[in-house]
Amino acid sequence: MDHQAPYDEDAVTNTSDNPHFNDILQVRLSRRQALMGGIKASALFMLGGSALAGCSSDSDDTPASNTPGTSIPAPVLKFTAIAKSLDDIVHVPVGYSAAVLYALGDPIDTATTPWSDAGTETGASYEKRAGDHHDGMAFFGLGSDGKWKADASDRGMLVMNHENITPNFLHANNTTDLASPRLEDPARKEINCHGISVIEIRKNALGKFEIDKTSTRNRRLTPNTPMDLRGAAAGSAWMLSKFSPAGLQTRGTINNCANGYTPWGTYLTCEENWAGYFKRGADTGRSAAEVKLLSRYGVSGSGSNAWSTVTPADPTDTTFAQWDLSLTGAAAADDFRNRANTYGWVVEIDPFDPASTPRKRTALGRMGHEDCAIGKLEAGKPVVFYTGDDSRFEYVYKFVSDALWDPADAGKGMAAGDKYMDAGTLYVAKFNADGSGEWVALKHLSNNLNAANATFPFTSQADVLVATRLAADSVGATKMDRPEWVAVNPRNGEVYLTLTNNTNRGQGANPGVDAANPRNYVDNDGKGQKGNPNGHIIRWREKDDHANATTFQWDIYVFAAEADADATTINLSGLTNDNDMSSPDGLWFDPRGVLWIQTDDGAYTDVTNCMMLAAVPGKVGDGAAATVNGQGTFIGKQPGTDLRRFLVGPKECEITGITMTPDGKAMFVNIQHPGEGGNLAASASHWPYSADATAADASSKRPRSATIVVTRNDGGVIAL
Ligand code: FEO
Ligand code: CA
Ligand code: CA
Ligand code: CA
C-alpha cells in the first residue's frame, strides 16, 4: 500500500499538456544503430558503495556478466530464490538470518527508557528515540579517529530516514490522543517520529551488530531541527519567514523517503510527500504565481494540518503554528506563508558531527524528491546527481556540478558538498520514441525560462528552482509512471530508475502510453487495477559513458508483473514464481554490482507481502525493440535466474531502505509500516515479535517499523 492519506503521491497535480510519444513522430532509426552509436570503451572511475572502485572497458557485444577488463568481477547469485509469502514474519533464503536492530521507539541514548508497547512515551522523548516508517539508509564506516573510514565493517554510523507515521500505533489512548483539536504531546510525538536517525552501531562480542547508546554521535533530526538553505534559492523572496527573516534557514525536514550518499562522506536525504503536511489557508493576498506554485505542488486549498490545531502551553512555541501557511502577518517575514517553499529539497547531513547544521541544496531543484544517486564519477568531470520526482506523471532530473571532481575531496564532508552541490545545471529528462533521450537544461533565460514564460514567470534561477515542476512542464519533459529510486551500476555507469506504478496511465483524461511508459492494462485476476499497476524499471546509458552527457540511450530492464499474467501485454520480462513482483520502489546497486529491488505494493498483495529481490542485470540494448498493444518500446533481455527473490516482509509492510557493510557480510534493510491498515483493536501484523525477525509467536504487540540486519549463517558475503 502507499502511504496514508493525506501524505501520499496519488494526486495528479501535473496538468501540463506536454507531448507524449503518441504525439511524437516515430523516428525510424534501427535499434542497433541508435544504441551503439558513440559508445566507446573508456577508462573511468565510479562510485561503488562508500568507496571508489576502478572500472574499465566494456565492449559492445559482451554480456555484462562476462565483461573483460572490468575490475569489479561479474557477480553470480548463489542463493536459492524464496517463495512469495503472506506470513507475518521476514523470510530470507536458507542459510541466512535476520535480526531486528532498531525499531520504532527504541532509545538512542542510555538515559531514555525502552519502548513500552503502551504508547506512553512522551512526544519530547522521541528526540532520543527511533522515529517511525524507516526508509532510505546508508552505512558509513567509522574509524578510531571518529571520522569516515570507507572500508570499516565492524563499526559505523547508520543514517536513516523516518518517512512517515502510522498514528494508530503511536499513542496511549487513540480516543483522546487523536481527537481534534490535537493535544500538544501526542502532536509533538507525531512530529518527532519523522526526520532522520544518525546512530553509531558496532559488532558486540558475539559478532552481532548493536547500537552504541553511549556514542555522542547519536542524533535525531526532526521537523524542528534548524537547517541552512544553500544554492540559488537561498535568501530569495520565496524563503523569507518568521523563523528566518533573511530566508537563509528553515526548520526541519519531513517525509524523507529515499537517500543518497556522497564520495565526500555525507548523507543525502530527500523530501518527498511534504506538501500534504501543510495547511494552505486562504489565498487572499497571495500573487497569482504563489497560488500557481501551491497548486502545482499539491499544497491543497482544502488542506488542513491537524498539528496546527494545537494550543501549546508555551505561547511562543511555533512547533505547531508553523504548519499553517495562512497569511497572518504583515509580510512574509512575519509568518509562515513561505514555509512550504523551504521543503521539497535534497538535504545534506554530516553523519560524524552531531553539532553540524544540515544544508538544503536548492540547486538540485524542488519536487517530491524520492532519491538522489551520484552518477559515474570521473576525475576532472562534473559530479552528477540523479533524482526522481515521485508523483503520477512527474519527471526525472539530474544535476551537473560546475566544479570538476577532484579525488582529493573524498572524505572532505560538507565543505565538499558546498563545492559540488550549490552551483551547476539542473536538467530534466525527455525519453524519445526511438530509444534515445535528452537532458533539457532548467536554467534561467535558457529554453524560454524567462519572465514572459506562459507557464510561470521565471525572473531568476531562484524561481526556476522553487518552481522546478513548472519549469519542467514548460520544456516538455516526459511524464513518467512515478519515478522512485535511482541506482547507478558500478560496473558500467548505467542508471536504473524504478517507475513504481501509475493506475492513472491511459485512464480518462490522463496521458496515454508512450515508449518509456508503455503499458496500460487491467490486473484482472487480482485487484482489478488499471493503467500500469505493477510498474517497471527503466535504465539508460549516457552518451560516451559520461554522466554529464546531454543525451542517452534507454531501454526497460524489467516489467514487474505476476508470473501468470499475459506474456505479450503484461509479463513482458518473462517473470516466474521465483522473481515475480509488483511496484518496484527501493533500488540500490551494492559495490559488487548486485542490484537490489524492493517493493511497495498494493496490487499483488492478495498473493504476497512486499519483498526484496537481487539481480545481476545486463546492459542497455541487450534486448530488443517490441510493440505492446500497439505501442513501440525497447525491452531488455529477460532477466531469468539473474533475478531472484531474496526476502519477503511481514504483513502490510513496505520493504525500503538498504545498505551494507563494505565487506558485504552484513546487510541492513528497513521494514516499513507493518500492519499499516490496522489499529490498536485489530491489526493484521504484530511484527516484530522478538529480536529474531524471522520468528512469530502468539503475542499481539503493536507492529513497528524496524531496521533488520541480514547475515549469512556461515559468516560469508551476502548473496554471492
Ligand atoms: Fe516514499 Fe515514493 O516512496
Ligand atoms: Ca493478480
Ligand atoms: Ca519509496
Ligand atoms: Ca512507493
Side-chain angles (χ1 to χ4, degrees), residues 403-620:
L404 305 180
W405 173 239
D406 178 354
D409 288 331
K412 288 210 176 150
M414 302 283 272
D418 293 346
K419 177 175 173 182
Y420 296 105
M421 299 186 76
D422 288 343
T425 305
L426 182 66
Y427 294 87
V428 68
K430 279 190 188 178
F431 293 80
N432 297 325
D434 64 356
S436 69
E438 58 191 295
W439 293 104
V440 184
L442 302 179
K443 192 171 178 180
H444 183 231
L445 303 182
S446 295
N447 297 317
N448 290 318
L449 299 175
N450 53 43
N453 186 294
T455 303
F456 191 82
F458 298 104
T459 63
S460 65
Q461 185 62 17
D463 292 355
V464 173
L465 295 177
V466 171
T468 298
R469 282 182 173 174
L470 288 154
D473 292 345
S474 162
V475 302
T478 303
K479 297 178 174 184
M480 309 299 284
D481 285 344
R482 295 186 48 199
E484 298 253 23
W485 291 47
V486 191
V488 177
N489 189 339
R491 304 190 63 242
N492 60 16
E494 291 184 352
V495 188
Y496 287 64
L497 167 75
T498 42
L499 296 162
T500 191
N501 58 53
N502 186 347
T503 51
N504 286 47
R505 177 69 68 182
Q507 308 305 305
N510 289 296
V513 293
D514 59 41
N517 303 275
R519 287 189 307 179
N520 173 13
Y521 57 97
V522 182
D523 170 21
N524 58 13
D525 76 341
K527 297 190 163 185
Q529 295 184 10
K530 296 177 181 172
N532 178 12
N534 301 123
H536 56 288
I537 301 176
I538 198 167
R539 64 184 170 186
W540 60 89
R541 181 173 196 170
E542 301 280 12
K543 183 170 170 47
D544 295 336
D545 292 321
H546 294 308
N548 64 322
T550 53
T551 58
F552 58 90
Q553 295 292 333
W554 63 268
D555 70 6
I556 291 168
Y557 163 56
V558 68
F559 287 94
E562 304 180 14
D564 63 358
D566 180 70
T568 60
T569 54
I570 303 173
N571 189 13
L572 300 165
S573 298
L575 301 187
T576 67
N577 280 320
D578 283 343
N579 59 17
D580 62 339
M581 64 172 137
S582 179
S583 303
D585 184 344
L587 194 70
W588 183 62
F589 270 103
D590 73 32
R592 310 163 308 174
V594 177
L595 180 65
W596 297 91
I597 303 168
Q598 302 176 312
T599 70
D600 171 16
D601 186 43
Y604 202 15
T605 44
D606 51 329
V607 172
T608 184
N609 300 337
C610 287
M611 64 182 71
M612 182 169 80
L613 306 97
V616 179
K619 61 184 185 180
V620 171

